[in-house]
Amino acid sequence: MAKIKIHFVPVGNAPLLKKSKFLMSTTDKFTSATSFVRKLLKIDTDVPLFLYIHSFEPSGDQSMGDLMDCFGVRGELVVHYSLMEAWG
Amino acid sequence: MSQTSIPASTTTLQAANWSGYIPILLSLAPSSLSSPVAPRPLHRMISRMTYLHIALNEEVMQLFEFAPATAGQKELLVREEPPDDDDNHKDESICDSGEASASDGAVAAASDDKSNDAIRDKSGQNETDQKDIEQKADTAESTGAQPISKKYPTCWFEDEESGQPLRWHLFIGVLYDAMKGRAVLKQSHSFCPSDESATLLPWRIRVHFTSYPPTILPFEIQPPSKKDTTVEHTNQISTTISRTFRNSLKQALFMQYTSSKVANSITKSSHEKMWNAILTTNYTLYHEVNGSLQMGTLSSEADKQVAGAAVPELIPVRVLVNGNSPMQRPCRAFRDADENIMLQTIKQQCETEENGEETTEDEKTLDNLVERLTTCSIRPQTSLGNVLLSWLPQYFDVVDETIVAKSFVYYSIQGIQPNLSCSILDLWRSLCHPDHFLYVVVITND
């Protein structure tokens, strides 16, 4: 199964991650990235969490592989995470 | 069509697309009925360019009165985590959660009691959280004039013929094309062809207020953040869809311009204007904002002057195969110059030079060569067929140097089947949806 490198970058006052680069499967959907960050940050579903690529929020059913092909830079996909809306 | 000529008819075609409506018959799913008498199904004409929850807002409220009192609330926040997504992600690698395969299978969710139970279990876990959210939402509401009972319920739509749940974040036209594709293929492959196309319309849709299917994307309703507390929560569904639309548009703009600059420069009022245009199916209003956003849609002199820049870096294209999640890959307006053609050109050039007058200057030849190499005849436009063949080689074929769809494959864009040799750039300019994505529906019968 092909893997791609995801780089999670905090925005605003979002807490830092001890480790910020992870491998995800190309067939994973974007919603699994969201639940993964929730787990890493140990936050519940009632706490707002926003994930962005560049300045937009991808749809939950887009595949990580497609997102990497369209928006990846230098072999990795940068995903910004924020506890509040960052780019309306 | 050359790179610089922008057809004046693009806006005419877009306007024509915006005037497309589909007759539907909306009924309440029997499983969501609580009253002894079923409400009569509702006939409506709905625009291809909007979303089901937007177009059928009032009708849903009408039918909701016949649903059980507890329906349409409980499952609101059950979402986000794929069902099998457990604590096995601690290492650096996120395992394949298997969610893709779950979404690939077409599940007749209406009668799926197991998934039903699973959802109930989850909602049990989340109940306390949910109450908090609901309370917050209620307090927000109590400041407004809307009574709580008018709150739009959580619901989902089902294509009655196939039993497939309809994705709420796709445009109605795209959903309808997929349904029609299935019917067309069924008809062409049956031995006793019936007049099935006659029964296609009105499109029969059911609305459900219970058992939200796990196969379609849940509503990503964000709990109200501090910033949001003043926002009305009376119609969170509409807010959520508008947000999805805005982000899809921003994504498409990034692909066109390879930067967030244009997307981020859209003012709040422009966003609102565009959303209002979708709510009211008003192309004129939409074009007021969109004219300056979408590359190459203005046929004005100003646009012609920057024609070089009017070709998107990547054309936003989404292909939906058999109702699965969209495929979205980089798609360029022009194919790379064919090396053979380049070689031929250079060869020809050299021959001309040899046979030509002695006064031919090297510089002139070079200029000429560069010019010829950069013209469209050498950089062929990407066709719809090129895109489909490269993304879906199992469904498209090359016969006598022409790309064709295999016999069990149906494709459609905005309800029509353009020739596969059409330029993807031209198709995108005239047939893309309001979020700037060109949605290509592919249905197969294999």
Side-chain angles (χ1 to χ4, degrees), chain A residues 4-58:
Chain A
I4 50 161
K5 195 192 279 178
I6 314 289
H7 187 181
F8 292 110
V9 179
V11 178
N13 61 352
L16 283 167
L17 293 171
K18 276 181 196 156
K19 179 175 166 41
S20 64
K21 294 192 181 183
F22 297 88
L23 291 176
M24 284 186 82
S25 162
T26 50
T27 55
D28 276 345
K29 303 289 175 198
F30 192 72
T31 131
S32 47
T34 312
S35 31
F36 183 61
V37 175
R38 276 196 192 281
K39 266 188 195 115
L40 290 173
L41 296 177
K42 298 190 177 67
I43 52 173
D44 277 336
T45 45
D46 61 340
V47 178
L49 175 69
F50 302 85
L51 260 62
Y52 297 90
I53 290 178
H54 298 295
S55 65
F56 59 83
E57 292 176 87

Side-chain angles (χ1 to χ4, degrees), chain A residues 3 23-24 29 31 34-36 38-39 46 49-50 54-55 57 61-62 66 69-70 85 87-88, chain B residues 80 85 89 92-94 99 167 169 222-223 243 246-247 250-251 254 260 264 325 327-328 330:
Chain A
K3 300 267 182 189
L23 291 176
M24 284 186 82
K29 303 289 175 198
T31 131
T34 312
S35 31
F36 183 61
R38 276 196 192 281
K39 266 188 195 115
D46 61 340
L49 175 69
F50 302 85
H54 298 295
S55 65
E57 292 176 87
D61 63 349
Q62 290 189 260
D66 283 0
D69 287 347
C70 293
E85 221 163 356
W87 291 277
Chain B
E80 195 167 322
D85 195 21
H89 293 329
E92 58 183 56
S93 155
I94 301 184
E99 198 247 359
R167 290 164 188 266
H169 57 109
Q222 288 283 1
R243 190 191 162 86
R246 203 169 63 228
N247 277 293
K250 284 168 78 178
Q251 186 171 157
F254 188 92
S260 307
N264 289 343
S325 301
M327 293 170 79
Q328 180 186 322

Side-chain angles (χ1 to χ4, degrees), chain B residues 111-128:
Chain B
S111 55
D112 194 343
D113 285 339
K114 279 182 189 168
S115 67
N116 209 343
D117 289 346
I119 287 173
R120 294 248 164 76
D121 286 350
K122 276 212 160 185
S123 68
Q125 283 168 17
N126 290 346
E127 210 154 354
T128 46

Side-chain angles (χ1 to χ4, degrees), chain B residues 319 321 384-385 387-399 402-406 408-412 420 440-444:
Chain B
V319 176
V321 183
L384 173 62
V387 175
L388 292 173
L389 182 68
S390 97
W391 294 16
L392 300 166
Q394 68 275 39
Y395 299 140
F396 292 84
D397 223 341
V398 183
V399 178
T402 309
I403 299 171
V404 291
K406 291 188 178 170
F408 56 89
V409 175
Y410 171 91
Y411 70 92
S412 156
L420 287 173
V440 185
V441 170
V442 175
I443 302 290
T444 68

Side-chain angles (χ1 to χ4, degrees), chain B residues 1-22:
Chain B
M1 206 166 294
S2 82
Q3 185 172 341
T4 46
S5 79
I6 289 140
S9 58
T10 297
T11 48
T12 322
L13 283 168
Q14 284 189 347
N17 258 327
W18 273 69
S19 59
Y21 279 77
I22 298 165

Side-chain angles (χ1 to χ4, degrees), chain B residues 381-386 418-427:
Chain B
Q381 292 213 16
T382 310
S383 69
L384 173 62
N386 293 141
N419 198 305
L420 287 173
S421 62
C422 287
S423 133
I424 197 84
L425 179 63
D426 291 343
L427 289 173

